Amino acid sequence: MRSRRIPPGSPSDHDSGSTDSDASSAAHSPSSVGSPRRRDVLRLLGSGAAVGLAGCLGGDEQTDDDSAEGVRFESGWRTYAHDDANTAFLREGTPISEPTIEYEPDFGMDSTEPVVADGVGYTPGDPMRAIDPAAGEELWAAQGESWTAPVVLDGVVYSLGTTVHGPNRLALYHARSGRLFRTIELPGRPQTPPAFSNDRETLFLGLDDERVCAVDIDAGEVTWTRSLFGAVRRPLAVNLHSVFVVTEGQRLYCLGTDGSAYWQAPTETVEAVAPVVGDERVYIAGWDRIAALERRNGDVVWEDDRGVHKRLAFDGKRLYAARGSLRALDSATGEERWKYDPRETVSAASVVGDTVYVGTGHGELVALNRTGGGGLFGDRERWSISLGRNVGHSLAATDRRVFCPVVRDDGLFSLTVVGDADPDASTAGTTAAAGTNATAGTAADAGGSGS
C-alpha cells in the first residue's frame, strides 16, 4: 500500500493547520456533509445532473445503478475535461456521422482546450472570446488568461483573467452578453479553473501559494482554505463530497468539500495531469505512470508504467491515455483493451456516446469506435477530416460538434469547429464546403451502450 491514511479533519504532514480560513467554523458545519437538505435535492434535480441520487448525495455511499461509474450531465460540458470529475465523457451525446468544417475564425487563439456550453464555445487567452459556430460569429470578448480556459455554469462565465479590480479575484460574466457583473475576492491569485460541488453551491480553486480554497457561490465568500505541499496548477476533480488535488510536490490529496483532510498519496511521477474521479476510484497519471486508487482511502488498485503526455478521458469502463498513441485501458484492471496508433502523435481523447475523438500530428480529427473494431485499425476508425498541420493537444466535444485547437497550414494557432453535415442532425449549424475533404468510415451508431 503506497498511501497513508489521514484521520478525517486532521492536518496532513505539510498542512499549516486543519484549515487556514477565518471562516473554518462555517466550513465544518453539519450541513456541509451527510444528508442533503431539501433545497440541495431540488437544485440538483434542476441542474441537469443525471447521476443516481444515491451516489451523488449519499456521502461515501456508492451508486446503486447498473451504469458505469463517473459523473455525467445531460447537456453542456462546462469546465476543463468537461465535468467536475474530469471525465471528458458525454454519455448521452450524439456523435458526428458526416463531418464538415462548420466554423473557422479569423483570429488566433491559445492552444489550450476551449470550453463549450449551450452551443457556444469559449476560448482561453487574453482576450477570452465567446463564439457561436451556428451563426458563424464572435459574440463578445473579455479579459482572460492564456493558461486556463474559463468555466461556464448556469449562464455564468467564471474567468481567472485579471480585471481592473486586481489579480486576486474571480470574474463573473453573463454568458450571452459578456457583461462583467460580479467579482469575488480571493486570498491569493487563482491558478486553476473553478470546480463545483455536486449541489452547485460551492466552487474550489487552487491558489498561487500552495493552497486550495472553497467559495460559497451565493455569498461570494471564502469558506475555507487549506495549505498543501507543492504548487497547485492542475485542475481539481470533485465527486461525492470529495475534492482531489494533484500538486507539484508529487502528492495527491483527497479533501472533503467541507475542508477536511481525508488522505494523501504520492503520485510517483512528474508532469502529472489533472486527476479523474469516478464513484469508486480516482485515476492519476504523469510522464511515466498511470494508477488507479481507491477513492475511499488511496490504496493502489493497479498501475501502468507507460504514462501520458496529455490529460486522461474516462467512460466508466475504460481509461483513455495518450502518449504518442492512444490506449484504452480497462478501468478495473489496467489491462489494455485496444490501441490506436496512426504513426503520429495523438491528442487527448474526448468521448461522446460510443465515439472517441482524437486529433493527430498529421492535422486530422479522427472519430474512433470506442466499443468495437479489430486489427491494426479494422473498423476502429469511422472517419477522419483534415484541418491543418496539427490538431490538439486536447478537444472539446459536444452533441454533433467538436471544437478543435488547430495549427493551421500557415502556422498560426486557431480554433476550427467540426459539425455534422447529416441533414437529420438538428443541432448542426451552417456547413462549409471545406468539409468535403472528410473520408467516411463505418457509420456512427449514435448512443451505443458500450461493452
Side-chain angles (χ1 to χ4, degrees), residues 45 109 136 230-231 278-279 302 333 369 416:
L45 290 174
M109 62 165 281
D279 300 337
W302 58 260
T333 66
N369 180 357
T416 298

Side-chain angles (χ1 to χ4, degrees), residues 17-32:
S18 58
T19 56
D20 302 323
S21 173
D22 293 335
S24 59
S25 59
H28 294 278
S29 63
S31 62
S32 298

Side-chain angles (χ1 to χ4, degrees), residues 157-446:
V157 179
Y158 297 77
S159 173
L160 308 188
T162 301
T163 69
V164 293
H165 302 285
N168 293 354
R169 287 178 177 264
L170 185 64
L172 279 63
Y173 299 88
H174 285 300
R176 281 296 174 181
S177 67
R179 181 175 67 86
L180 176 67
F181 70 94
R182 187 184 184 192
T183 61
I184 297 175
E185 186 174 359
L186 301 170
R189 185 166 185 174
Q191 297 292 303
T192 68
F196 293 86
S197 59
N198 292 129
D199 60 15
R200 310 298 192 273
E201 294 188 350
T202 307
L203 62 82
F204 308 93
L205 291 157
L207 304 177
D208 61 353
D209 54 359
E210 301 188 0
R211 287 190 295 168
V212 292
C213 73
V215 177
D216 182 289
I217 298 173
D218 290 338
E221 297 177 351
V222 175
T223 57
W224 58 261
T225 65
R226 178 168 286 278
S227 296
L228 306 177
F229 176 68
V232 182
R233 303 191 188 280
R234 301 299 183 188
L236 314 181
V238 182
N239 194 12
L240 300 177
H241 297 294
S242 297
V243 182
F244 295 88
V245 188
V246 165
T247 74
E248 294 188 355
Q250 297 189 25
R251 306 296 295 178
L252 169 70
Y253 290 87
C254 176
L255 309 176
T257 52
D258 64 346
S260 301
Y262 291 148
W263 53 262
Q264 61 169 295
T267 60
E268 299 183 21
T269 186
V270 295
E271 299 295 331
V273 298
V276 173
V277 55
D279 300 337
E280 299 175 6
R281 300 187 183 96
V282 56
Y283 303 89
I284 58 174
W287 186 264
D288 56 358
R289 183 184 187 229
I290 305 170
L293 311 180
E294 290 286 355
R295 186 181 67 84
R296 293 174 182 268
N297 55 26
D299 289 353
V300 176
V301 178
W302 58 260
E303 53 189 337
D304 179 280
D305 62 4
R306 285 283 304 277
V308 297
H309 291 168
K310 289 111 178 175
R311 64 153 173 80
L312 299 165
F314 173 60
D315 66 9
K317 294 184 178 181
R318 283 165 294 271
L319 193 71
Y320 299 91
R323 181 175 176 176
S325 58
L326 178 70
R327 295 190 300 148
L329 306 179
D330 188 298
S331 62
T333 66
E335 180 182 354
E336 183 178 299
R337 291 302 184 188
W338 56 263
K339 180 178 180 180
Y340 177 70
D341 187 359
R343 307 303 179 188
E344 186 55 78
T345 57
V346 298
S347 74
S350 290
V351 189
V352 176
D354 64 351
T355 297
V356 179
Y357 297 108
V358 292
T360 76
H362 289 305
E364 295 180 329
L365 172 66
V366 182
L368 305 172
N369 180 357
R370 77 177 175 96
T371 60
L376 180 60
F377 292 110
D379 60 353
R380 178 73 58 198
E381 186 175 307
R382 290 176 164 168
W383 53 257
S384 65
I385 182 171
S386 180
L387 304 180
R389 292 186 186 177
N390 187 77
V391 177
H393 74 47
S394 54
L395 317 166
T398 186
D399 258 359
R400 290 173 166 147
R401 278 198 185 103
V402 183
F403 291 69
C404 308
V406 171
V407 179
R408 304 188 314 198
D409 290 333
D410 59 11
L412 297 178
F413 285 102
S414 188
L415 177 71
T416 298
V417 181
V418 176
D420 202 329
D422 186 338
D424 295 327
S426 58
T427 57
T430 341
T431 56
T436 55
N437 60 350
T439 57
T442 306
D445 180 15

